Amino acid sequence: MTYARTRLLAGSTAFAAVALTGCGLLPGADEDTRTVTVWLMKDSVSDEFLARFTEEFEKEHDSIELDIEIQEWTGIGEKVTAALRSDEAPDLIEVGNTQVAQYAEGDGLRDLSAESVRELGSKDWLPGLADPGSINGRQFGIPWYAANRVVIYNKDLFEEAGIAKPPVTRDQWLTDTAALNSADTQGIYLAGQDWYTLAGFVWDEGGELAEETGGDWEGALHTTAALKGMDFYQRLQALGSGPKGADEATPPQADVFAEGDVAQIVSIPGAAKIIEQRNPELRGKLGYFPIPGKSEARPGAVLAGGSDLIVPEKSDAQDAAVEVVKALAGEKWQTELSRAMSYVPNKTTLANVVEGQEGTAAMAAGAAQGRTPPNSPRWAAVEADNPIKIYMTQALTGDDPAGAARAASEEITRMLAAR
């Protein structure tokens, strides 16, 4: 089966493999068959899903063969950038939704605007996936799947605290979390440098991480609205023992939750599998709800994570690659992917396909309020050497939040202006 060609590649091995298919044909392939080399990220899809997609796609497109290469996230930015500049680029690449601007800056991507409107129904796309893929009105990234944070909670601890149902407003969330917080239980485990969660609170208040004026970006953490978001974060974070000087990966918050004395964490639903592996006694005892908003009318804003699909301008099989994009982003395989991987599909009109999956349904509700960081090609530098994390620790450990926020804003402005 064609899927046997899928393999994990790293470093120079990837480019050696791409060189074999640079002309669009695999050795021994029929001259009328186009080979589409696809880079997908590790763990984005299961082996079973990929095998089914490959087999069915090739049956329906007898002139196209798929050569799927699995990539590691570590170092992928530099690798994709190098590939886009080479004459041996892959034909289709999965990228993080917030990375599209970075790759589009050098004119290395095919403009997919026509296909997005004509065949892919772009009017129904999730904004958190579609907006980062759109640069100056041109669609370079096609939304593939979304994943965002929800609240994972321990049902037993909620019941013991007399909380019959999850909160739907931020005020109620604070009240419930305070009731859960005791000498034996953390109301919530929220690391001090979880800037993804902070971003949602800032957006709920009408603030921004950075704002663009006349093509120039300026940090905006010091604004009144953004500071209100930080104030809420401080009040929530205080209702647990999360470290003030580390992010949610240090230590991994799923491991902390698995100890059984934490009532809530903010994470993607997939963390529940890790928690249950660490502590089988928690199986069947985990629940999910969207991050609450300021009112019952809608959930809180969330940083929309996920992936887009891009087609390099130097691809030798662009038209065939577009056919693969249309299949992966279309209703059939969006439905299959969402059910197989518990992802949110790329369209609001497909939200019903995850009904019955509590975690995914909570995620889908939040995804409707999905937002993304500033759509600057230099935002990746901000995340790499993150001044937002430094600011958060300073605010949580007693520094003046306004002063720390202004310093962080100035650093963001400097980083986004760097050439």
Side-chain angles (χ1 to χ4, degrees), residues 1-4 6 40 45-61 66 68 327-328 331-342:
M1 187 165 59
T2 307
Y3 175 65
T6 302
L40 297 183
V45 296
S46 66
D47 290 347
E48 179 184 6
F49 171 88
L50 202 52
R52 283 193 295 112
F53 173 77
T54 301
E55 183 176 19
E56 291 192 33
F57 180 87
E58 291 184 344
K59 283 182 179 178
E60 295 170 1
H61 302 79
L66 300 182
I68 299 174
L328 287 171
E331 181 173 348
K332 171 181 169 57
W333 289 104
Q334 280 292 297
T335 300
E336 294 286 338
L337 181 65
S338 298
R339 290 174 176 169
M341 303 301 297
S342 297

Side-chain angles (χ1 to χ4, degrees), residues 151-152 173 177 181 185-192 194 197 233 236-244 246-259 261-267:
V151 182
I152 302 177
W173 194 17
T177 304
N181 198 41
T185 301
Q186 293 188 57
I188 189 168
Y189 181 88
L190 183 60
D194 184 353
T197 298
Y233 191 97
L236 186 65
Q237 201 271 342
L239 299 174
S241 302
K244 293 178 171 57
D247 62 21
E248 65 279 8
T250 313
Q253 62 177 353
D255 291 353
V256 178
F257 189 96
E259 294 174 8
D261 58 356
V262 172
Q264 308 168 87
I265 57 171
V266 179
S267 182

Side-chain angles (χ1 to χ4, degrees), residues 7-20 39 69 71 79:
R7 56 206 181 271
L8 178 65
L9 298 176
S12 60
T13 307
F15 286 100
V18 173
L20 293 175
W39 284 7
E69 303 174 357
Q71 307 294 325
K79 190 171 184 178

Side-chain angles (χ1 to χ4, degrees), residues 93-284:
I93 308 175
E94 173 196 354
V95 299
N97 59 321
T98 61
Q99 297 173 332
V100 179
Q102 171 186 351
Y103 301 136
E105 187 179 31
D107 297 324
L109 302 184
R110 171 169 169 157
D111 182 357
L112 299 168
S113 300
E115 290 84 357
S116 69
V117 175
R118 185 174 61 243
E119 288 132 333
L120 292 172
S122 58
K123 64 182 177 59
D124 296 320
W125 281 342
L126 292 175
L129 292 180
D131 292 351
S134 178
I135 314 297
N136 297 323
R138 302 164 69 192
Q139 196 73 40
F140 293 101
I142 300 300
W144 190 22
Y145 66 82
N148 51 266
R149 287 160 180 76
V150 301
V151 182
I152 302 177
Y153 71 100
N154 185 315
K155 293 180 179 180
D156 283 354
L157 295 180
F158 267 57
E159 184 178 352
E160 290 171 12
I163 301 171
K165 60 182 181 179
V168 293
T169 68
R170 289 199 335 193
D171 286 344
Q172 187 62 51
W173 194 17
L174 283 176
T175 300
D176 289 350
T177 304
L180 289 158
N181 198 41
S182 68
D184 299 321
T185 301
Q186 293 188 57
I188 189 168
Y189 181 88
L190 183 60
Q193 293 184 350
D194 184 353
W195 74 273
Y196 304 107
T197 298
L198 171 65
F201 300 158
V202 168
W203 290 327
D204 274 345
E205 296 291 351
E208 299 289 346
L209 305 180
E211 296 179 310
E212 184 182 19
T213 304
D216 294 325
W217 288 92
E218 293 185 356
L221 291 172
H222 62 288
T223 63
T224 300
L227 287 170
K228 287 181 179 179
M230 185 65 214
D231 178 69
F232 180 80
Y233 191 97
Q234 286 179 284
R235 286 186 284 157
L236 186 65
Q237 201 271 342
L239 299 174
S241 302
K244 293 178 171 57
D247 62 21
E248 65 279 8
T250 313
Q253 62 177 353
D255 291 353
V256 178
F257 189 96
E259 294 174 8
D261 58 356
V262 172
Q264 308 168 87
I265 57 171
V266 179
S267 182
I268 59 171
K273 294 180 180 179
I274 299 173
I275 293 167
E276 291 172 349
Q277 289 172 357
R278 300 285 190 274
N279 185 354
E281 293 183 4
L282 289 177
R283 288 197 177 113

Side-chain angles (χ1 to χ4, degrees), residues 31-51:
E31 291 185 1
D32 293 328
T33 299
R34 302 297 295 173
T35 298
V36 177
T37 301
V38 182
W39 284 7
L40 297 183
M41 301 310 301
K42 185 179 181 182
D43 297 328
S44 283
V45 296
S46 66
D47 290 347
E48 179 184 6
F49 171 88
L50 202 52

Side-chain angles (χ1 to χ4, degrees), residues 23-26 28-36 58 61-65 316-317 320:
C23 63
L25 298 175
L26 279 179
D30 189 289
E31 291 185 1
D32 293 328
T33 299
R34 302 297 295 173
T35 298
V36 177
E58 291 184 344
H61 302 79
D62 56 10
S63 63
I64 301 175
E65 285 191 345
D316 288 325

